[in-house]
Amino acid sequence: MPLNPKWQVAGEKEFLFRSWDDEFVVYNGATGDTHLLGLVAAQVMLKLQQTPTDVASLAEWLAPLLQTEPDDELVFVIEQILTDFDSLGIIEHTRL
């Protein structure tokens, strides 16, 4: 596996988003599961739906939206989100 792997939404899964303030509900059409996401997790999910992305790129992209720096703390938060998404089968490593 590459040192800085890219992640993508798993397979051809269909996700439907609804939002209220800083909370998002995501429905996984493939499994029928519904997930409640906070703002950061939702932004990570939306970005991964657009293009496969690595942790460092996610941090660079998210930092301005969150009015913060792409520091170790933000990277840690993103890594935890990716771990959670991976355990739910929502995302996977790219095959590139």
Side-chain angles (χ1 to χ4, degrees):
M1 181 178 325
L3 248 121
N4 199 8
K6 288 188 176 184
W7 292 90
Q8 65 185 11
V9 172
E12 295 294 320
K13 296 191 177 182
E14 174 187 345
F15 295 97
L16 302 174
F17 280 83
R18 296 291 181 261
S19 66
W20 297 267
D21 298 319
D22 287 344
E23 291 187 338
F24 295 76
V25 175
V26 179
Y27 173 74
N28 182 339
T31 65
D33 294 333
T34 301
H35 307 283
L36 178 63
L37 305 178
L39 175 64
V40 177
Q43 293 302 318
V44 168
M45 182 71 174
L46 290 168
K47 184 67 172 176
L48 294 178
Q49 280 191 300
Q50 295 171 0
T51 185
T53 310
D54 61 41
V55 174
S57 297
L58 283 167
E60 289 288 332
W61 178 75
L62 275 172
L65 296 173
L66 302 173
Q67 298 178 342
T68 189
E69 296 296 319
D71 57 13
D72 291 342
E73 184 177 339
L74 181 57
V75 167
F76 178 77
V77 168
I78 293 168
E79 287 173 340
Q80 292 300 306
I81 290 168
L82 294 174
T83 298
D84 291 346
F85 284 174
D86 188 34
S87 70
L88 292 170
I90 294 173
I91 62 170
E92 63 190 7
H93 289 107
T94 61
R95 306 214 192 297
L96 303 177

Coordinates of all heavy atoms in Angstrom, one line a residue:
M1 N 0.8 -1.2 0.0 CA 0.0 0.0 0.0 C 0.9 1.2 0.0 O 1.9 1.3 0.7 CB -0.9 0.0 1.2 CG -1.8 1.1 1.3 SD -2.9 1.1 2.7 CE -3.3 -0.6 3.0
P2 N 0.5 2.3 -0.8 CA 1.3 3.5 -0.8 C 1.4 4.1 0.6 O 0.5 3.9 1.4 CB 0.6 4.4 -1.8 CG -0.4 3.6 -2.4 CD -0.6 2.3 -1.6
L3 N 2.4 5.0 0.8 CA 2.6 5.6 2.1 C 1.5 6.6 2.4 O 1.1 6.7 3.6 CB 3.9 6.4 2.1 CG 4.9 5.8 3.0 CD1 6.2 5.4 2.3 CD2 5.2 6.8 4.1
N4 N 0.9 7.3 1.5 CA -0.2 8.2 1.6 C -1.3 7.8 0.7 O -1.5 8.4 -0.3 CB 0.3 9.6 1.4 CG -0.6 10.7 2.0 OD1 -1.5 10.3 2.7 ND2 -0.4 11.9 1.6
P5 N -2.0 6.7 1.1 CA -3.0 6.1 0.2 C -4.2 7.1 0.0 O -4.5 7.9 0.8 CB -3.5 4.9 0.9 CG -3.3 5.2 2.4 CD -2.0 6.0 2.4
K6 N -4.8 7.0 -1.2 CA -6.0 7.7 -1.5 C -7.2 6.9 -1.1 O -7.2 5.7 -1.2 CB -6.0 8.1 -3.0 CG -5.0 9.2 -3.3 CD -5.2 9.6 -4.7 CE -4.3 10.8 -5.0 NZ -4.5 11.3 -6.4
W7 N -8.2 7.6 -0.7 CA -9.5 6.9 -0.4 C -10.6 7.4 -1.4 O -10.5 8.4 -2.0 CB -9.9 7.4 1.0 CG -9.1 6.9 2.1 CD1 -8.0 7.5 2.6 CD2 -9.2 5.7 2.8 NE1 -7.4 6.7 3.6 CE2 -8.2 5.6 3.8 CE3 -10.1 4.6 2.8 CZ2 -8.0 4.5 4.6 CZ3 -10.0 3.6 3.6 CH2 -8.9 3.5 4.6
Q8 N -11.6 6.5 -1.6 CA -12.7 6.8 -2.4 C -13.9 6.2 -1.8 O -13.9 5.3 -1.0 CB -12.5 6.3 -3.8 CG -12.4 4.8 -3.9 CD -12.0 4.3 -5.3 OE1 -11.7 5.0 -6.2 NE2 -12.1 3.0 -5.5
V9 N -15.1 6.7 -2.3 CA -16.3 6.0 -1.9 C -16.3 4.6 -2.4 O -15.9 4.4 -3.6 CB -17.6 6.8 -2.4 CG1 -18.8 6.1 -2.2 CG2 -17.6 8.2 -1.8
A10 N -16.7 3.7 -1.6 CA -16.7 2.3 -2.0 C -17.7 1.9 -3.1 O -18.8 2.3 -3.0 CB -17.0 1.4 -0.7
G11 N -17.1 1.2 -4.1 CA -17.9 0.7 -5.2 C -18.9 1.7 -5.8 O -18.5 2.9 -6.0
E12 N -20.0 1.3 -6.2 CA -21.0 2.1 -6.8 C -22.1 2.4 -5.9 O -23.3 2.5 -6.2 CB -21.6 1.4 -8.1 CG -20.6 1.1 -9.1 CD -20.1 2.4 -9.8 OE1 -20.9 3.3 -10.0 OE2 -18.8 2.5 -10.0
K13 N -21.8 2.7 -4.6 CA -22.8 2.9 -3.6 C -23.5 4.3 -3.9 O -22.9 5.2 -4.3 CB -22.2 2.9 -2.2 CG -21.7 1.5 -1.9 CD -21.3 1.4 -0.5 CE -20.9 -0.1 -0.3 NZ -20.5 -0.4 1.1
E14 N -24.8 4.3 -3.6 CA -25.6 5.5 -3.7 C -25.8 6.1 -2.3 O -26.3 5.4 -1.4 CB -27.0 5.1 -4.3 CG -27.9 6.2 -4.4 CD -29.3 5.8 -4.8 OE1 -29.5 4.7 -5.3 OE2 -30.2 6.6 -4.6
F15 N -25.5 7.3 -2.2 CA -25.7 8.0 -0.9 C -26.6 9.2 -1.1 O -26.4 10.0 -2.0 CB -24.3 8.5 -0.3 CG -23.4 7.3 0.0 CD1 -22.4 6.9 -0.8 CD2 -23.6 6.7 1.3 CE1 -21.6 5.9 -0.5 CE2 -22.7 5.6 1.6 CZ -21.8 5.2 0.7
L16 N -27.5 9.4 -0.2 CA -28.4 10.6 -0.2 C -28.1 11.4 1.0 O -28.1 10.8 2.1 CB -29.9 10.1 -0.3 CG -30.3 9.2 -1.4 CD1 -31.7 8.7 -1.2 CD2 -30.1 10.0 -2.7
F17 N -27.9 12.7 0.8 CA -27.6 13.6 1.9 C -28.8 14.5 2.3 O -29.4 15.0 1.4 CB -26.4 14.5 1.5 CG -25.1 13.9 1.7 CD1 -24.6 13.1 0.6 CD2 -24.3 14.1 2.8 CE1 -23.4 12.5 0.7 CE2 -23.1 13.5 2.9 CZ -22.6 12.7 1.9
R18 N -29.0 14.7 3.6 CA -29.9 15.8 4.0 C -29.1 16.5 5.1 O -28.4 15.9 5.9 CB -31.2 15.2 4.6 CG -32.0 14.5 3.6 CD -32.6 15.5 2.6 NE -33.4 14.8 1.6 CZ -33.0 14.4 0.4 NH1 -31.8 14.7 0.0 NH2 -33.8 13.8 -0.4
S19 N -29.3 17.8 5.3 CA -28.6 18.6 6.3 C -29.5 19.5 7.0 O -30.4 20.0 6.5 CB -27.4 19.3 5.7 OG -27.9 20.3 4.8
W20 N -29.1 19.7 8.3 CA -29.7 20.7 9.2 C -28.6 21.4 9.9 O -27.9 20.7 10.7 CB -30.7 20.0 10.1 CG -31.9 19.4 9.5 CD1 -33.1 19.9 9.2 CD2 -31.9 18.0 9.0 NE1 -33.9 19.0 8.6 CE2 -33.2 17.8 8.4 CE3 -31.0 17.0 8.9 CZ2 -33.6 16.6 7.8 CZ3 -31.4 15.8 8.3 CH2 -32.7 15.6 7.8
D21 N -28.4 22.6 9.7 CA -27.3 23.4 10.3 C -26.0 22.6 10.1 O -25.6 22.5 9.0 CB -27.6 23.6 11.8 CG -28.8 24.4 12.0 OD1 -29.0 25.4 11.3 OD2 -29.6 24.1 12.9
D22 N -25.3 22.2 11.2 CA -24.0 21.5 11.0 C -24.1 20.0 11.2 O -23.2 19.3 11.5 CB -23.0 22.0 12.0 CG -22.5 23.4 11.7 OD1 -22.7 23.8 10.5 OD2 -22.0 24.1 12.6
E23 N -25.3 19.4 11.0 CA -25.5 18.0 11.1 C -26.1 17.5 9.8 O -26.9 18.1 9.1 CB -26.5 17.6 12.2 CG -25.9 17.8 13.6 CD -26.8 17.3 14.7 OE1 -28.0 17.1 14.4 OE2 -26.3 17.0 15.8
F24 N -25.6 16.3 9.4 CA -25.9 15.7 8.1 C -26.4 14.3 8.3 O -25.8 13.5 9.1 CB -24.7 15.7 7.2 CG -24.3 17.0 6.8 CD1 -23.5 17.8 7.7 CD2 -24.5 17.6 5.5 CE1 -23.1 19.1 7.3 CE2 -24.1 18.8 5.2 CZ -23.4 19.6 6.1
V25 N -27.4 13.9 7.6 CA -27.9 12.5 7.6 C -27.6 11.9 6.2 O -27.9 12.6 5.2 CB -29.4 12.4 7.9 CG1 -29.9 10.9 7.8 CG2 -29.7 12.9 9.3
V26 N -26.9 10.8 6.2 CA -26.5 10.2 5.0 C -27.2 8.8 4.9 O -27.0 8.0 5.8 CB -25.0 10.0 4.9 CG1 -24.6 9.3 3.6 CG2 -24.3 11.3 5.0
Y27 N -27.9 8.6 3.9 CA -28.6 7.3 3.6 C -27.8 6.5 2.6 O -27.5 7.0 1.5 CB -30.0 7.5 3.1 CG -30.7 6.2 2.7 CD1 -31.1 5.3 3.7 CD2 -30.9 5.9 1.4 CE1 -31.7 4.1 3.3 CE2 -31.5 4.7 1.0 CZ -31.9 3.8 2.0 OH -32.5 2.7 1.6
N28 N -27.4 5.3 2.9 CA -26.6 4.4 2.0 C -27.7 3.5 1.3 O -28.2 2.6 1.9 CB -25.6 3.6 2.8 CG -24.8 2.7 2.0 OD1 -25.2 2.3 0.9 ND2 -23.7 2.2 2.5
G29 N -27.9 3.8 0.1 CA -28.9 3.1 -0.7 C -28.6 1.6 -0.9 O -29.5 0.8 -1.0
A30 N -27.3 1.3 -0.9 CA -26.9 -0.1 -1.1 C -27.2 -1.0 0.2 O -27.5 -2.2 0.0 CB -25.4 -0.2 -1.4
T31 N -27.1 -0.4 1.4 CA -27.2 -1.2 2.6 C -28.5 -0.9 3.3 O -29.0 -1.7 4.2 CB -26.1 -1.0 3.6 OG1 -26.1 0.4 4.0 CG2 -24.7 -1.4 2.9
G32 N -29.1 0.3 3.0 CA -30.3 0.7 3.8 C -29.9 1.4 5.1 O -30.8 1.7 5.9
D33 N -28.6 1.6 5.4 CA -28.2 2.2 6.6 C -28.3 3.7 6.5 O -28.0 4.3 5.5 CB -26.8 1.8 7.0 CG -26.6 0.3 7.3 OD1 -27.6 -0.3 7.8 OD2 -25.5 -0.3 7.1
T34 N -28.5 4.3 7.7 CA -28.5 5.8 7.8 C -27.5 6.2 8.8 O -27.4 5.5 9.8 CB -29.9 6.3 8.2 OG1 -30.9 5.9 7.2 CG2 -29.9 7.8 8.3
H35 N -26.7 7.2 8.5 CA -25.6 7.6 9.4 C -25.8 9.1 9.6 O -26.0 9.9 8.7 CB -24.2 7.4 8.7 CG -24.1 6.0 8.3 ND1 -23.8 4.9 9.1 CD2 -24.1 5.4 7.0 CE1 -23.7 3.8 8.4 NE2 -23.9 4.1 7.2
L36 N -25.6 9.5 10.9 CA -25.6 10.9 11.3 C -24.1 11.4 11.3 O -23.3 10.8 12.0 CB -26.2 11.1 12.7 CG -26.2 12.5 13.3 CD1 -27.1 13.4 12.4 CD2 -26.7 12.5 14.7
L37 N -23.8 12.4 10.6 CA -22.5 12.9 10.5 C -22.4 14.4 10.9 O -23.3 15.2 10.7 CB -22.0 12.9 9.0 CG -22.0 11.6 8.3 CD1 -21.5 11.7 6.8 CD2 -21.2 10.5 9.0
G38 N -21.3 14.8 11.5 CA -21.0 16.1 11.8 C -20.5 16.9 10.6 O -20.3 16.2 9.5
L39 N -20.3 18.1 10.7 CA -19.8 19.0 9.6 C -18.6 18.4 8.9 O -18.5 18.3 7.7 CB -19.6 20.4 10.1 CG -19.1 21.4 9.0 CD1 -20.1 21.5 7.9 CD2 -18.8 22.7 9.6
V40 N -17.5 18.1 9.7 CA -16.3 17.7 9.2 C -16.4 16.4 8.4 O -16.0 16.2 7.3 CB -15.2 17.6 10.2 CG1 -13.8 17.1 9.7 CG2 -15.0 19.0 10.9
A41 N -17.1 15.4 9.1 CA -17.3 14.1 8.4 C -18.1 14.2 7.1 O -17.7 13.6 6.2 CB -17.9 13.1 9.4
A42 N -19.1 15.1 7.2 CA -19.9 15.3 5.9 C -19.0 15.9 4.8 O -19.2 15.4 3.7 CB -21.1 16.1 6.2
Q43 N -18.2 16.8 5.2 CA -17.3 17.4 4.1 C -16.4 16.4 3.6 O -16.1 16.4 2.4 CB -16.6 18.7 4.7 CG -17.5 19.8 5.0 CD -18.3 20.3 3.8 OE1 -17.8 20.4 2.7 NE2 -19.6 20.6 4.1
V44 N -15.8 15.6 4.4 CA -14.9 14.5 4.0 C -15.7 13.6 3.0 O -15.2 13.3 1.9 CB -14.3 13.7 5.1 CG1 -13.6 12.4 4.7 CG2 -13.3 14.6 5.9
M45 N -16.9 13.2 3.4 CA -17.6 12.3 2.5 C -18.0 12.9 1.2 O -17.8 12.3 0.1 CB -18.9 12.0 3.3 CG -19.8 11.0 2.5 SD -19.1 9.4 2.6 CE -20.4 8.5 1.8
L46 N -18.4 14.2 1.2 CA -18.7 14.9 0.0 C -17.4 15.0 -1.0 O -17.5 14.8 -2.2 CB -19.2 16.3 0.2 CG -20.6 16.3 0.9 CD1 -21.0 17.7 1.4 CD2 -21.7 15.8 -0.1
K47 N -16.3 15.3 -0.4 CA -15.1 15.4 -1.2 C -14.7 14.0 -1.8 O -14.3 13.9 -2.9 CB -13.9 15.9 -0.3 CG -12.6 16.1 -1.0 CD -12.8 17.2 -2.1 CE -11.4 17.6 -2.7 NZ -11.6 18.6 -3.7
L48 N -14.8 12.9 -1.0 CA -14.5 11.6 -1.5 C -15.5 11.2 -2.6 O -15.1 10.3 -3.4 CB -14.5 10.6 -0.4 CG -13.4 10.8 0.7 CD1 -13.5 9.7 1.8 CD2 -12.0 10.7 0.0
Q49 N -16.7 11.7 -2.6 CA -17.6 11.4 -3.7 C -17.2 12.1 -4.9 O -17.5 11.6 -6.0 CB -19.1 11.8 -3.3 CG -19.8 10.9 -2.4 CD -21.2 11.2 -2.3 OE1 -21.6 12.3 -1.8 NE2 -22.1 10.3 -2.7
Q50 N -16.5 13.2 -4.8 CA -16.1 13.9 -6.0 C -14.8 13.3 -6.7 O -14.8 13.2 -7.9 CB -15.8 15.4 -5.7 CG -17.0 16.2 -5.2 CD -16.6 17.5 -4.7 OE1 -15.4 17.9 -4.6 NE2 -17.6 18.3 -4.3
T51 N -13.9 12.9 -5.8 CA -12.6 12.4 -6.3 C -11.8 11.7 -5.3 O -11.9 12.0 -4.1 CB -11.7 13.6 -6.8 OG1 -10.6 13.1 -7.4 CG2 -11.4 14.6 -5.7
P52 N -11.1 10.6 -5.6 CA -10.3 9.9 -4.6 C -9.2 10.9 -4.1 O -8.7 11.8 -4.8 CB -9.6 8.9 -5.4 CG -10.5 8.6 -6.6 CD -11.1 9.9 -6.9
T53 N -9.1 10.9 -2.7 CA -8.2 11.9 -2.1 C -7.5 11.3 -0.9 O -8.0 10.4 -0.3 CB -9.1 13.0 -1.5 OG1 -10.0 13.5 -2.6 CG2 -8.4 14.2 -1.0
D54 N -6.3 11.8 -0.7 CA -5.5 11.3 0.5 C -5.7 12.2 1.7 O -6.3 13.3 1.6 CB -4.0 11.2 0.1 CG -3.4 12.5 -0.3 OD1 -3.7 13.6 0.4 OD2 -2.6 12.5 -1.2
V55 N -5.2 11.8 2.8 CA -5.4 12.6 4.1 C -4.9 14.0 4.0 O -5.5 14.9 4.4 CB -4.8 11.8 5.3 CG1 -4.9 12.6 6.6 CG2 -5.5 10.5 5.5
A56 N -3.6 14.1 3.5 CA -3.0 15.4 3.5 C -3.8 16.4 2.6 O -4.0 17.5 2.9 CB -1.6 15.3 3.0
S57 N -4.3 15.9 1.5 CA -5.1 16.7 0.6 C -6.4 17.1 1.2 O -6.9 18.2 1.0 CB -5.3 16.0 -0.8 OG -4.1 15.8 -1.4
L58 N -7.0 16.2 1.9 CA -8.2 16.5 2.6 C -8.0 17.6 3.7 O -8.8 18.5 3.8 CB -8.8 15.2 3.3 CG -9.5 14.2 2.4 CD1 -9.7 12.9 3.1 CD2 -10.8 14.8 1.9
A59 N -6.9 17.5 4.4 CA -6.6 18.5 5.4 C -6.4 19.9 4.8 O -6.9 20.9 5.3 CB -5.4 18.1 6.2
E60 N -5.7 19.9 3.7 CA -5.4 21.2 2.9 C -6.7 21.8 2.5 O -6.9 23.0 2.5 CB -4.5 21.0 1.8 CG -3.0 20.7 2.2 CD -2.3 21.9 2.7 OE1 -2.7 23.1 2.3 OE2 -1.4 21.8 3.5
W61 N -7.6 20.9 2.0 CA -8.9 21.4 1.4 C -9.9 21.8 2.6 O -10.6 22.8 2.4 CB -9.5 20.2 0.6 CG -10.9 20.6 0.0 CD1 -11.1 21.4 -1.0 CD2 -12.1 20.1 0.5 NE1 -12.5 21.4 -1.2 CE2 -13.1 20.7 -0.3 CE3 -12.5 19.3 1.5 CZ2 -14.5 20.4 -0.1 CZ3 -13.9 19.0 1.7 CH2 -14.8 19.6 0.9
L62 N -9.9 21.1 3.7 CA -10.8 21.4 4.8 C -10.4 22.6 5.6 O -11.3 23.3 6.1 CB -10.9 20.2 5.7 CG -11.9 19.1 5.3 CD1 -11.8 17.9 6.2 CD2 -13.3 19.7 5.3
A63 N -9.1 22.8 5.8 CA -8.6 23.8 6.7 C -9.3 25.2 6.5 O -9.8 25.8 7.4 CB -7.1 23.9 6.6
P64 N -9.3 25.7 5.2 CA -9.9 27.0 5.0 C -11.4 27.0 5.3 O -12.0 28.0 5.8 CB -9.7 27.3 3.5 CG -8.6 26.4 3.1 CD -8.7 25.2 4.0
L65 N -12.1 25.9 5.0 CA -13.5 25.8 5.3 C -13.8 25.9 6.8 O -14.8 26.4 7.3 CB -14.1 24.5 4.8 CG -14.1 24.3 3.3 CD1 -14.5 22.9 2.9 CD2 -15.0 25.3 2.6
L66 N -12.9 25.4 7.6 CA -13.0 25.3 9.1 C -12.3 26.5 9.8 O -12.3 26.5 11.0 CB -12.4 24.0 9.6 CG -13.1 22.7 9.0 CD1 -12.3 21.5 9.5 CD2 -14.5 22.7 9.4
Q67 N -11.7 27.3 9.0 CA -10.9 28.5 9.4 C -9.9 28.1 10.4 O -9.8 28.6 11.6 CB -11.9 29.5 10.1 CG -12.8 30.1 9.1 CD -13.8 31.1 9.7 OE1 -14.0 31.2 10.9 NE2 -14.4 31.9 8.8
T68 N -9.1 27.1 10.0 CA -8.0 26.5 10.8 C -6.8 26.2 9.9 O -6.8 26.5 8.7 CB -8.4 25.3 11.6 OG1 -7.4 24.9 12.5 CG2 -8.7 24.1 10.7
E69 N -5.8 25.7 10.5 CA -4.6 25.3 9.7 C -4.6 23.8 9.5 O -5.2 23.0 10.3 CB -3.3 25.6 10.5 CG -3.1 27.1 10.7 CD -2.9 27.8 9.5 OE1 -2.2 27.3 8.6 OE2 -3.5 29.0 9.3
P70 N -4.0 23.3 8.4 CA -4.0 21.9 8.1 C -2.9 21.2 9.0 O -1.9 20.6 8.5 CB -3.6 21.8 6.6 CG -2.9 23.0 6.4 CD -3.5 24.1 7.3
D71 N -3.1 21.3 10.3 CA -2.1 20.8 11.2 C -2.3 19.3 11.6 O -3.2 18.7 11.1 CB -2.0 21.7 12.5 CG -3.4 21.8 13.2 OD1 -4.3 21.0 12.9 OD2 -3.5 22.7 14.0
D72 N -1.4 18.8 12.5 CA -1.5 17.4 13.0 C -2.9 17.1 13.6 O -3.4 16.0 13.5 CB -0.4 17.1 14.0 CG 1.0 17.1 13.3 OD1 1.0 17.0 12.1 OD2 2.0 17.2 14.0
E73 N -3.4 18.1 14.3 CA -4.7 17.8 14.9 C -5.8 17.6 13.9 O -6.6 16.6 14.0 CB -5.1 19.0 15.8 CG -6.4 18.7 16.6 CD -6.7 19.9 17.6 OE1 -5.8 20.7 17.9 OE2 -7.9 20.0 17.9
L74 N -5.9 18.4 12.9 CA -6.8 18.2 11.8 C -6.6 16.9 11.1 O -7.5 16.2 10.8 CB -6.8 19.4 10.8 CG -7.8 19.3 9.7 CD1 -9.3 19.2 10.2 CD2 -7.7 20.5 8.8
V75 N -5.4 16.6 10.8 CA -5.0 15.3 10.1 C -5.5 14.1 11.0 O -6.1 13.2 10.5 CB -3.5 15.2 9.9 CG1 -3.1 13.8 9.5 CG2 -3.1 16.2 8.8
F76 N -5.3 14.2 12.3 CA -5.8 13.2 13.2 C -7.3 13.0 13.1 O -7.8 11.9 13.1 CB -5.3 13.5 14.7 CG -5.8 12.4 15.6 CD1 -5.2 11.2 15.7 CD2 -6.9 12.7 16.5 CE1 -5.6 10.3 16.7 CE2 -7.3 11.8 17.4 CZ -6.7 10.5 17.5
V77 N -8.0 14.1 13.2 CA -9.5 14.0 13.1 C -9.9 13.4 11.8 O -10.8 12.5 11.7 CB -10.1 15.4 13.2 CG1 -11.6 15.5 12.8 CG2 -9.9 16.0 14.6
I78 N -9.3 13.8 10.7 CA -9.6 13.2 9.4 C -9.3 11.7 9.3 O -10.1 10.9 8.8 CB -8.9 13.9 8.2 CG1 -9.4 15.4 8.1 CG2 -9.0 13.2 6.9 CD1 -8.6 16.3 7.2
E79 N -8.1 11.3 9.9 CA -7.8 9.9 9.9 C -8.8 9.1 10.7 O -9.2 8.0 10.3 CB -6.4 9.7 10.5 CG -5.3 10.1 9.6 CD -3.9 10.1 10.2 OE1 -3.8 10.1 11.5 OE2 -2.9 10.1 9.5
Q80 N -9.3 9.6 11.8 CA -10.3 9.0 12.6 C -11.6 8.8 11.8 O -12.3 7.8 11.9 CB -10.6 9.7 13.9 CG -9.4 9.6 14.9 CD -9.1 8.2 15.2 OE1 -9.9 7.5 15.7 NE2 -7.8 7.9 15.0
I81 N -12.0 9.9 11.1 CA -13.2 9.8 10.3 C -13.1 8.7 9.2 O -14.0 7.9 9.0 CB -13.5 11.2 9.6 CG1 -13.9 12.2 10.7 CG2 -14.5 11.1 8.5 CD1 -14.0 13.6 10.3
L82 N -11.9 8.7 8.5 CA -11.7 7.7 7.5 C -11.7 6.3 8.1 O -12.2 5.4 7.4 CB -10.3 8.0 6.8 CG -10.3 9.3 6.0 CD1 -8.9 9.5 5.5 CD2 -11.3 9.3 4.8
T83 N -11.1 6.1 9.3 CA -11.2 4.8 9.9 C -12.6 4.4 10.2 O -13.0 3.2 9.9 CB -10.4 4.8 11.2 OG1 -9.0 5.1 10.9 CG2 -10.5 3.5 12.0
D84 N -13.4 5.3 10.7 CA -14.8 5.0 10.9 C -15.6 4.7 9.6 O -16.3 3.7 9.6 CB -15.5 6.2 11.6 CG -15.1 6.4 13.0 OD1 -14.4 5.5 13.6 OD2 -15.3 7.5 13.6
F85 N -15.4 5.5 8.6 CA -16.0 5.2 7.3 C -15.6 3.9 6.7 O -16.4 3.1 6.2 CB -15.7 6.3 6.3 CG -16.4 7.6 6.5 CD1 -16.0 8.7 5.7 CD2 -17.4 7.8 7.4 CE1 -16.7 9.9 5.8 CE2 -18.1 9.0 7.6 CZ -17.7 10.1 6.8
D86 N -14.3 3.6 6.9 CA -13.8 2.3 6.4 C -14.4 1.1 7.1 O -14.8 0.1 6.5 CB -12.3 2.2 6.5 CG -11.6 1.0 5.8 OD1 -12.1 0.6 4.8 OD2 -10.6 0.6 6.4
S87 N -14.6 1.2 8.4 CA -15.2 0.1 9.2 C -16.7 0.0 8.9 O -17.2 -1.1 9.0 CB -15.0 0.4 10.7 OG -15.8 1.5 11.1
L88 N -17.3 1.0 8.4 CA -18.7 0.9 8.0 C -18.8 0.5 6.5 O -19.9 0.2 6.0 CB -19.4 2.3 8.1 CG -19.6 2.8 9.5 CD1 -20.0 4.3 9.5 CD2 -20.5 1.9 10.3
G89 N -17.7 0.3 5.8 CA -17.7 -0.1 4.4 C -18.1 1.0 3.5 O -18.5 0.7 2.3
I90 N -18.1 2.2 3.9 CA -18.5 3.4 3.1 C -17.4 3.8 2.1 O -17.7 4.2 1.0 CB -18.9 4.6 4.0 CG1 -20.1 4.2 4.8 CG2 -19.1 5.8 3.1 CD1 -20.5 5.3 5.8
I91 N -16.1 3.6 2.5 CA -15.0 4.0 1.7 C -14.0 2.9 1.5 O -14.1 1.9 2.3 CB -14.3 5.3 2.2 CG1 -13.7 5.0 3.6 CG2 -15.2 6.5 2.2 CD1 -12.7 6.1 4.1
E92 N -13.1 3.0 0.6 CA -12.1 2.0 0.4 C -10.8 2.7 -0.2 O -10.9 3.8 -0.7 CB -12.5 0.9 -0.6 CG -12.9 1.5 -2.0 CD -13.6 0.5 -2.9 OE1 -14.0 -0.6 -2.4 OE2 -13.8 0.9 -4.1
H93 N -9.7 2.0 -0.1 CA -8.5 2.6 -0.7 C -8.7 2.5 -2.2 O -9.3 1.5 -2.7 CB -7.3 1.7 -0.3 CG -6.8 2.0 1.1 ND1 -7.0 1.0 2.1 CD2 -6.3 3.0 1.7 CE1 -6.6 1.5 3.2 NE2 -6.1 2.7 3.0
T94 N -8.1 3.4 -2.9 CA -8.1 3.4 -4.4 C -7.2 2.2 -4.9 O -6.3 1.8 -4.2 CB -7.7 4.7 -5.0 OG1 -6.3 4.9 -4.7 CG2 -8.6 5.8 -4.7
R95 N -7.4 1.8 -6.0 CA -6.6 0.7 -6.6 C -5.5 1.2 -7.4 O -4.8 0.5 -8.1 CB -7.5 -0.2 -7.4 CG -8.7 -0.7 -6.6 CD -9.1 -2.1 -7.0 NE -10.4 -2.5 -6.5 CZ -10.7 -2.6 -5.2 NH1 -9.9 -2.3 -4.3 NH2 -11.9 -3.0 -4.9
L96 N -5.3 2.5 -7.4 CA -4.2 3.2 -8.2 C -2.9 3.0 -7.5 O -2.7 3.0 -6.4 CB -4.5 4.6 -8.4 CG -5.8 4.9 -9.1 CD1 -6.0 6.4 -9.2 CD2 -5.9 4.3 -10.5

